[in-house]
Amino acid sequence: KNLTRSCNITTCNFHTRQVMHWLLVVTFASFLLLKPSVGDPKFGNIKLSSADDDGVTELRVEHDEAAPSYPPPEVTDLNPSSMPIQPGVHVVRGPDWRWGEIDGGDGSMGTVLGPAQASDWWRVYWNATQQTNTHEYSQRAVDIQLITRPDYPNITLIGTPTTMRWTTDVTRIFSQQVSRLDEPLVLTDTFVTEWPAIAKERWTIDSLKQRLNGATLHKVKVASPSPSSCDCADHAVEMTEGGQQGDSERCSAQEASCGSGDAMNEVASNHYRRTTDTRTPFPYCHPSPMSGSAYVETYSSKCYSVQNMSASDFFDELCNPRLDRKIMYASKLDELGEDFFMDVHPLLPLMVIPQNFDPTEEHHFRQTYVWIGGTNTVTPTHLDLFHNYFVQVSGTKRFLLFPPSHWQQLYLQPLVHPGGRSAQVQPDSPLGSDEFPNYKKDTATALEVTLQPGQVLYVPPLWFHHVTSLEPSVSLSVWSPHTAIDLAEQTAEAVPLPVKRSWTQAEKVTALRVYLESLLMSLKLDAGKFVFATLLDNRYRHINMPTDTPKFCTEKETETKILAEAEDLFRASLKPTVEVFRQLQRVGGDDRLMIQLANYVELTVAELIPLNDIKQFLKDFVEC
């Protein structure tokens, strides 16, 4: 029977495959590999139960319904009696504004300096015009209104990360010890406070503006809000390796990637890897579905362009922000030059160094990033593959942290999407909606921390995090590889698929299906249920719908033929791949296994299946 979105997949009736097919696959997988032991872990709304008599672990998804709620406005609804203005807060013009363009225009921000002589009047410094004026804030008139960080009523904050003092015991590598705890930690009293970047204030906004004067900053992200699609008039011309991109080309690329076409096909190549070509048209809506026909109204589109900008212009805009435009710059540390590296020396204690890893050769500080962003600049919810020691150098940032077990609730983007490893669900997404039924109140929980200058936050691999700059800020992230995750990432490239070039496309698709079924069953997972729960009904839930007519179903005669011809190929591919994921499960747990195994399946499918047919293949994989 056809699957429906509301079904419990433990009770759905799938098409019964012919007995010969299952005998071939199960016998083949069992012949090649020993079965690992299975515990009884739980993660999110997906539960892995103990192995059944047939040795297959049950994967169960639960849905329920809840009334949706909606995000609050970015600007607070004013009640002057309950929200008094104080010196130092940020404001914009209010509903009773009567002062022309002294603020620099609607959306320009100002800073309250203090009370004026008259009661309920306040002195405000307007950044854009560099002028100071007095404004009323009372029950009679609301000239100005507060800008506050967004609150997310749908998120239940369950606490803050544990705070831990840094130890100077040279007999232990402290970063290694921290990483083994496998939870976010705020580190205090660390050596980073002695870095010249902090101790000598060499990385404050004002200092960086002076030091980078005359330089050109490459790939600055400029974001302008848009309700459903990008408006080319709102974005500066994008710069590429070949020079300046033409207006017509740029606009068509933006429209395609923001809802009027299949953005995945526009911005990703037909190779299985997400594109890294700098000529690829950006911006894209983040988060956004890959097909305009499947656009979901509850998505909060955030379009941004990537452009070159002089450092002078960048810092001028950073210090004179507007509500309708946000900017952020990121750079690898080694691209900024030796002087900047010496400002944050030493870095080595912040690295988790695996065996046989030489950081001076392999890391070379290319995995250390500098982040400079303005007030209310947001990095949407995403995950990283690395150990991340995040140093707050100046300003403050707010983190919301979600464990890897939230992968089902947060709906990762497909890995071949430009926003791969980012979540489709954001903190202001409605709970219990038809679009994201797994995102529910009882699982929408997060840790929260506001990181102060000189503090270090450790974010373990595959922990989701949502970051907001509460003021202009400078940060540094030091990434180090997680050995098991790194191996899983390399497997898709290092281990060839058991496919012969001489085979027809139908034979190659059959080999792909048999290989994936054998791999998943060797890991004690039901292949169809795994693909449905992690990909078809999760990452690909809102991608353009496939047809009801099967396109990638296979015949048992073809399966018999390729298994007879390519037993050695299957053996050579399956054994190392299964061992890699067993090792990841042992050291990283079931949640990380689910995320990385879904990544592997998706990338493996994309090696043989065109991008716009991936969802059709997944559907046929589950139902045929």
Side-chain angles (χ1 to χ4, degrees), residues 400-452:
L400 296 177
L401 297 147
F402 308 85
S405 60
H406 280 40
W407 63 266
Q408 189 193 11
Q409 290 77 37
L410 295 178
Y411 291 82
L412 278 166
Q413 295 278 13
L415 197 58
V416 294
H417 187 279
R421 300 196 180 95
S422 294
Q424 298 179 49
V425 168
Q426 296 299 318
D428 56 359
S429 297
L431 295 172
S433 65
D434 290 338
E435 288 78 16
F436 304 115
N438 295 328
Y439 185 60
K440 301 177 292 187
K441 186 172 181 60
D442 59 339
T443 55
T445 56
L447 298 174
E448 179 193 33
V449 62
T450 298
L451 211 58
Q452 304 294 333

Side-chain angles (χ1 to χ4, degrees), residues 1-4 12-16 623:
K1 297 180 181 179
N2 290 332
L3 292 171
T4 63
C12 289
N13 293 320
F14 296 91
H15 278 304
T16 302
E623 296 187 3

Side-chain angles (χ1 to χ4, degrees), residues 517-591:
E517 287 175 338
S518 299
L519 170 64
L520 294 171
M521 293 181 69
S522 298
L523 293 168
K524 293 189 175 290
L525 292 167
D526 182 289
K529 293 177 182 179
F530 174 86
V531 168
F532 179 82
T534 63
L535 294 171
L536 185 60
D537 195 44
N538 197 276
R539 301 184 187 187
Y540 284 80
R541 184 178 179 88
H542 298 298
I543 307 306
N544 52 309
M545 289 301 297
T547 64
D548 291 331
T549 303
K551 186 176 181 179
F552 296 104
C553 294
T554 58
E555 301 293 335
K556 65 179 180 67
E557 292 83 2
T558 308
E559 295 171 2
T560 304
K561 174 179 178 293
I562 64 168
L563 286 174
E565 288 185 16
E567 178 181 317
D568 290 342
L569 288 179
F570 276 87
R571 184 193 300 273
S573 297
L574 274 171
K575 292 192 72 172
T577 303
V578 170
E579 182 51 41
V580 163
F581 285 105
R582 284 180 181 170
Q583 174 68 9
L584 175 58
Q585 185 177 24
R586 284 193 293 268
V587 301
D590 293 286
D591 304 317

Side-chain angles (χ1 to χ4, degrees), residues 83 134 141 157 274 309 318 343 348 396 403 443 479 621:
M83 298 188 64
T134 57
L157 301 176
R274 289 182 296 132
M309 182 182 293
L318 193 74
D343 288 340
L348 195 60
T396 54
T443 55
W479 287 336
F621 186 97

Side-chain angles (χ1 to χ4, degrees), residues 273-511:
R273 284 292 184 192
R274 289 182 296 132
T275 180
T276 57
D277 190 341
T278 58
R279 295 170 297 176
T280 298
F282 271 65
Y284 63 90
C285 289
H286 183 89
S288 68
M290 289 192 286
S291 171
S293 61
Y295 190 80
V296 181
E297 292 183 358
T298 54
Y299 276 99
S300 176
S301 301
K302 294 176 175 62
C303 300
Y304 65 81
S305 62
V306 180
Q307 63 186 80
N308 294 347
M309 182 182 293
S310 71
S312 177
D313 289 345
F314 173 81
F315 285 106
D316 283 345
E317 185 164 341
L318 193 74
C319 298
N320 300 286
R322 297 178 58 89
L323 275 181
D324 59 352
R325 184 172 157 100
K326 297 180 177 67
I327 60 173
M328 190 273 286
Y329 173 66
S331 172
K332 296 178 181 179
L333 178 61
D334 66 337
E335 294 176 353
L336 292 178
E338 184 70 18
D339 288 345
F340 285 87
F341 167 69
M342 295 308 297
D343 288 340
V344 291
H345 183 74
L347 279 175
L348 195 60
L350 295 177
M351 296 182 191
V352 180
I353 303 175
Q355 190 175 8
N356 300 323
F357 179 85
D358 182 356
T360 59
E361 294 293 331
E362 300 183 59
H363 188 280
H364 198 56
F365 312 110
R366 293 190 181 93
Q367 293 301 320
T368 298
Y369 273 78
V370 180
W371 312 91
I372 307 173
T375 302
N376 284 338
T377 301
V378 172
T379 301
T381 307
H382 68 287
L383 56 77
D384 297 316
L385 305 176
F386 317 103
H387 299 283
N388 182 4
Y389 281 87
F390 191 94
V391 183
Q392 190 62 24
V393 180
S394 69
T396 54
K397 280 188 174 178
R398 179 200 194 192
F399 278 75
L400 296 177
L401 297 147
F402 308 85
S405 60
H406 280 40
W407 63 266
Q408 189 193 11
Q409 290 77 37
L410 295 178
Y411 291 82
L412 278 166
Q413 295 278 13
L415 197 58
V416 294
H417 187 279
R421 300 196 180 95
S422 294
Q424 298 179 49
V425 168
Q426 296 299 318
D428 56 359
S429 297
L431 295 172
S433 65
D434 290 338
E435 288 78 16
F436 304 115
N438 295 328
Y439 185 60
K440 301 177 292 187
K441 186 172 181 60
D442 59 339
T443 55
T445 56
L447 298 174
E448 179 193 33
V449 62
T450 298
L451 211 58
Q452 304 294 333
Q455 290 185 328
V456 180
L457 174 66
Y458 171 66
V459 182
L462 302 189
W463 269 72
F464 295 88
H465 44 290
H466 178 278
V467 189
T468 304
S469 292
L470 303 182
E471 57 186 309
S473 67
V474 182
S475 312
L476 185 80
S477 58
V478 183
W479 287 336
S480 305
H482 182 288
T483 303
I485 294 175
D486 199 41
L487 284 174
E489 280 290 298
Q490 297 174 21
T491 300
E493 295 178 345
V495 180
L497 290 177
V499 174
K500 292 185 176 181
R501 292 184 179 180
S502 60
W503 284 347
T504 65
Q505 180 63 15
E507 290 172 332
K508 292 177 181 178
V509 170
T510 300

Side-chain angles (χ1 to χ4, degrees), residues 81-95:
S81 62
S82 62
M83 298 188 64
I85 287 216
Q86 299 177 357
V89 300
H90 299 297
V91 295
V92 293
R93 56 171 69 177

Side-chain angles (χ1 to χ4, degrees), residues 117 129 144 174 195 220 233 433 440 465 484 620:
Q117 292 183 351
T129 60
I144 51 177
F174 189 67
W195 283 351
V220 175
S433 65
K440 301 177 292 187
H465 44 290
D620 293 346

Side-chain angles (χ1 to χ4, degrees), residues 2 13 29 33 54 59 94 99 158 164 209 212 257 275 383 418 444 469 473 502 505 599 615:
N2 290 332
N13 293 320
L33 303 157
D54 59 0
L59 189 67
W99 304 97
I158 59 174
M164 177 180 291
K209 181 178 180 180
L212 293 172
S257 62
T275 180
L383 56 77
S469 292
S473 67
S502 60
Q505 180 63 15
N599 288 349
K615 186 170 184 178

